[in-house]
Amino acid sequence: MTGSLEPLWPAPTATDPVDAVVTVPGSKSATNRALVLAALADQPGFVRRPLRSRDSLLMADGLRAMGIGVEDTLNSSSGVSGGGDAWRVLPAPLNGPARVDVGNAGTVMRFLPPLAALATGPVHFDGDPRSHERPLGGVITALRGLGARIEDDGRGALPLTVHGTGGLVGGSVTVDASSSSQFVSALLLSGPRYQQGVEVRHVAAGSARGGADAGGARVGTVPSLPHIRMTVEMLRAAGARVDAPEDGGEPDVWRVAPGALLGRDLVVEPDLSNAAPFLAAALVTGGTVLIRDWPRHTSQPGDQLRELLTRMGGSCAFTEDGLRFTGSGSVHGLDADLHEVGELTPVIAAVAALADSPSRLSGIAHLRVHETDRLAALANELNGLGGDVTETADGLVIKPRPLHGGVFHTYEDHRLATAAAVIGLAVPGVQVENVGTTAKTLPDFPGLWSDLLDPTSTVKD
């Protein structure tokens, strides 16, 4: 548990069904991938409607530290729909010495060291205390196998220094990505600039692929595969040649050919995972929320919210403006494997705690090494409000009970804070510690949440 000097935030309680239109900021996952690909391109490019949050600002600052131009602009001279707020990215030779602050951003700590291997000179990486505990050994070991020199004093974790030599041979490498799909994406994103490209083969250490340990937890498989599919799609859109398992290729093997990347004019989709608390608000209050610009076809894991929350009692439909989600007035438990969409777990768990029947959430043992141990944190905090939540080897069993108010600790984890806000809709007296941690991916969440519940300030249909 972490303390905070920030005052406790009283989570608003809904007195009526919500009825709101919400504009969710851009996708963190897409923004940070787009920035890396734009930095490695042969021509300048634009990243439009980017997420401007702590994680994406750390990514932009990390690229600037290595010599890439990342300029703020409101110019929409290209005529591309969705102009306005944008970053113009100006590729340049990558240089050290440089220092990169990764904060507690998984994408920054994992995506930038493979890029730093292309720099001339040393690039030092460090971040928040929690970043030192998060898995990074897979990326470090793989980069060494591809020819990079990295100093980490044997930790297999931050802090570390990449001693770039201006290029990297690349080639084939084996990585255990059981703890994070970002290990694979990190290597693929910079792969086109390696002399031989890169072939990434996932092999789980000491376990059979797809099996289970003695406690029933899944082992060996790569979590959050939709995020790797997003990486593959964005690489191809930038001109890279990529072979992936979903194209009929070898299971757990991804190949990126060496070649130039295009400078693009890219409009970032709304972050669908960050839509989770707003859709949950419609479900919990029996109301309606429309999320603007929800794409009909997307690789974002958050798109699975449509199916998951419908199973829990809601309904959804596409409109000309986006996705409309409506609660039925009842909330049901569910049995769901969230292995591919683990980031949705906190809000799903919060809704499950308010349901009329038990839930079992499985396939998410990897959440123990995210921003915090999310399984332990959810169990502790929901139980602290009177809930009945039990950890399993790879997930949670949630048996609904009447909840009461109290302090909900967030462990400096943005998704714990949004889960607490969902609980507060139905449970008076919930006070959220460090709600400001939501700035990691969802700037001004308290303001957005207040607007959701205030009919005088929420945009109506």
Side-chain angles (χ1 to χ4, degrees):
M1 185 180 304
T2 58
S4 172
L5 298 178
E6 185 176 313
L8 295 173
W9 179 66
T13 301
T15 55
D16 296 296
V18 300
D19 181 11
V21 177
V22 178
T23 300
V24 177
S27 163
K28 175 200 73 173
S29 298
T31 296
N32 280 359
R33 283 164 172 77
L35 285 170
V36 171
L37 292 171
L40 294 173
D42 280 356
Q43 312 92 17
F46 284 91
V47 179
R48 300 190 185 276
R49 292 187 186 172
L51 174 68
R52 293 182 182 270
S53 70
R54 188 185 185 212
D55 278 19
S56 58
L57 294 173
L58 286 168
M59 180 66 82
D61 286 344
L63 293 172
R64 291 183 182 115
M66 288 186 276
I68 302 297
V70 183
E71 300 177 346
D72 290 305
T73 176
L74 296 176
N75 181 15
S76 184
S77 59
S78 69
V80 173
S81 172
D85 183 31
W87 272 316
R88 184 174 184 235
V89 182
L90 305 171
L94 296 160
N95 292 303
R99 300 184 69 85
V100 175
D101 176 10
V102 309
N104 193 19
T107 51
V108 182
M109 70 179 71
R110 291 160 184 157
F111 291 0
L112 288 189
L115 185 142
L118 297 166
T120 301
V123 181
H124 183 71
F125 292 86
D126 202 353
D128 297 352
R130 173 62 180 173
S131 73
H132 297 180
E133 302 170 12
R134 299 187 66 183
L136 194 57
V139 174
I140 295 169
T141 300
L143 285 174
R144 286 176 175 150
L146 295 172
R149 181 184 160 215
I150 300 175
E151 287 183 26
D152 67 342
D153 293 333
R155 287 181 297 269
L158 292 169
L160 61 84
T161 300
V162 179
H163 292 272
T165 58
L168 200 65
V169 174
S172 299
V173 69
T174 296
V175 61
D176 180 0
S178 302
S179 60
S180 176
S181 67
Q182 290 177 356
F183 291 1
V184 175
S185 289
L187 300 166
L188 298 182
L189 286 168
S190 292
R193 290 287 305 274
Y194 298 162
Q195 295 170 26
Q196 298 177 9
V198 70
E199 176 188 273
V200 181
R201 183 180 298 269
H202 162 66
V203 177
S207 61
R209 179 181 178 273
D213 66 15
R218 181 183 306 182
V219 293
T221 56
V222 180
S224 303
L225 278 172
H227 280 119
I228 299 181
R229 297 186 191 116
M230 176 188 292
T231 299
V232 169
E233 289 183 10
M234 293 184 71
L235 275 162
R236 287 174 174 162
R241 217 160 27 92
V242 187
D243 294 326
E246 58 265 28
D247 305 313
E250 192 175 350
D252 287 345
V253 178
W254 295 262
R255 298 181 179 90
V256 179
L261 294 176
L262 306 173
R264 301 182 60 215
D265 205 323
L266 180 143
V267 179
V268 176
E269 294 178 350
D271 193 317
L272 304 188
S273 294
N274 275 340
F278 302 101
L279 298 182
L283 181 58
V284 167
T285 69
T288 297
V289 168
L290 185 142
I291 305 294
R292 289 191 186 278
D293 301 322
W294 192 292
R296 292 180 183 244
H297 304 286
T298 180
S299 57
Q300 287 192 60
D303 193 45
Q304 292 193 33
L305 284 166
R306 294 188 293 130
E307 185 260 339
L308 290 166
L309 293 180
T310 295
R311 286 170 58 190
M312 298 188 83
S315 62
C316 64
F318 281 105
T319 73
E320 290 184 0
D321 296 320
L323 182 80
R324 176 179 285 107
F325 187 87
T326 302
S328 63
S330 298
V331 181
H332 311 309
L334 84 167
D335 189 329
D337 183 338
L338 302 181
H339 190 66
E340 291 198 347
V341 291
E343 65 199 58
L344 305 182
T345 300
V347 164
I348 296 293
V351 175
L354 301 171
D356 57 15
S357 58
S359 296
R360 176 179 289 272
L361 310 179
S362 60
I364 45 178
H366 59 284
L367 296 189
R368 293 190 169 100
V369 291
H370 274 227
E371 280 82 344
T372 187
D373 180 341
R374 284 180 171 164
L375 300 187
L378 285 165
N380 288 340
E381 299 312 310
L382 291 172
N383 288 343
L385 300 182
D388 184 353
V389 182
T390 304
E391 284 191 65
T392 65
D394 73 337
L396 299 170
V397 173
I398 303 170
K399 299 176 182 178
R401 292 174 54 181
L403 302 181
H404 55 72
V407 176
F408 195 107
H409 301 92
T410 60
Y411 306 81
E412 299 183 15
D413 187 331
H414 55 132
R415 301 207 189 276
L416 267 292
T418 54
V422 171
I423 293 290
L425 291 173
V427 180
V430 174
Q431 299 183 80
V432 184
E433 175 210 45
N434 191 16
V435 73
T437 194
T438 52
K440 178 178 170 64
T441 58
L442 196 53
D444 192 28
F445 172 75
L448 290 170
W449 200 248
S450 295
D451 287 350
L452 181 77
L453 301 175
D454 183 354
T456 65
S457 59
T458 301
V459 179
K460 294 291 187 179
D461 255 347

